[in-house]
Amino acid sequence: SGLPRGRVVCDACDARVPRTGTVLCLRCMQGGVPLPAQGARGCAQHGSESLLLAGPAFEPPLDQIVKAFKYSGSRGAHRWLAALLPEPPGRGTSAWREYVLVPAPLHPARRAWRGFDQAHLLAETAGAAWGIPVVAALERRRDTPPQARTGAAPRRENVRGAFALNAGAAPFVRSRPVLLVDDVATTGSTLLEAAAALEDASPSWILALTFAHGGLPDAPEPASTTQVARHPRV
């Protein structure tokens, strides 16, 4: 009979999507990696320098909700999806007061076609809820092919060098902990490339943040050498 007015996700689907936070290593997309602020050793292979804090797995019905959001004009789902973003560590601490949210942006041509930039919507919604400012510190300088139906190696090549630092925003990022926001992390390639561009602004550290994770199993290590999360200097 359809959803009630103002609802974008039915109760049955909502109940099937867990509200979980998982820390993953972006280089191998393996879990069980505590955050650097907890004094952890991190990933056995890659340490704690490339970390992702992600929401639930990209599985039914979440995958269909995301597809409707990104490709079928269901823009109103952004608030529901943003609520799946795990809260970053340190609420009430000096680190929290220094946080900035930086979305991993779409290319302007892709944004015009879609009608919105999903990462920016998510960052703005989360920022309003957490009291953390959003800084548009990145720009996408290449309109890369869609990632949804490509394997791990093509994904890495698609996004290689795709991001650049917005020089005017650099002072708002310098020496501050950055939460790099995107929607779904599959191989980690997009977030690693975005972080590589952000490093030019010398943030104190970077933690990637997505509302879901999942995708290609056993993806090889990305070639990028950027550090996505360093031990906080706070």
Side-chain angles (χ1 to χ4, degrees):
S1 59
L3 291 170
R5 186 178 297 277
R7 293 288 303 279
V8 293
V9 178
C10 71
D11 289 339
C13 288
D14 181 84
R16 291 176 60 193
V17 178
R19 271 57 175 179
T20 56
T22 301
V23 183
L24 302 168
C25 171
L26 271 175
R27 299 193 181 281
C28 59
M29 293 302 290
Q30 299 300 306
V33 184
L35 290 171
Q38 298 173 340
R41 295 175 57 191
C43 173
Q45 184 176 0
H46 303 110
S48 59
E49 295 182 342
S50 301
L51 299 185
L52 163 70
L53 180 56
F58 190 63
E59 298 173 346
L62 180 56
D63 58 346
Q64 295 303 314
I65 297 169
V66 173
K67 289 174 185 176
F69 168 55
K70 294 174 67 173
Y71 307 118
S72 301
S74 297
R75 175 175 175 168
H78 75 276
R79 296 188 183 280
W80 185 87
L81 292 167
L84 298 180
L85 287 168
E87 183 175 293
R91 181 183 283 273
T93 67
S94 59
W96 185 281
R97 292 189 291 273
E98 290 296 312
Y99 276 143
V100 291
L101 286 157
V102 175
L106 290 177
H107 188 272
R110 185 65 55 83
R111 184 173 62 245
W113 175 83
R114 184 167 292 167
F116 61 91
D117 184 319
Q118 69 271 9
H120 194 82
L121 275 176
L122 294 167
E124 284 192 328
T125 305
W130 296 335
I132 297 174
V134 177
V135 177
L138 293 173
E139 57 186 37
R140 196 131 180 178
R141 58 187 180 187
R142 291 196 294 111
D143 188 10
T144 55
Q147 300 273 71
R149 296 180 178 85
T150 57
R155 282 172 180 254
R156 291 194 294 276
E157 289 303 315
N158 278 354
V159 297
R160 196 177 303 280
F163 297 95
L165 180 67
N166 179 349
F172 300 99
V173 175
R174 188 170 294 116
S175 300
R176 299 184 72 170
V178 171
L179 302 169
L180 178 60
V181 179
D182 205 0
D183 51 6
V184 181
T186 302
T187 65
S189 301
T190 298
L191 288 161
L192 285 168
E193 288 297 321
L198 268 178
E199 288 287 351
D200 290 340
S202 300
S204 61
W205 52 277
I206 303 169
L207 175 67
L209 191 65
T210 63
F211 65 66
H213 71 279
L216 305 171
D218 302 320
E221 178 179 347
S224 174
T225 59
T226 190
Q227 296 182 345
V228 181
R230 301 191 299 276
H231 205 291
R233 298 202 307 265
V234 293

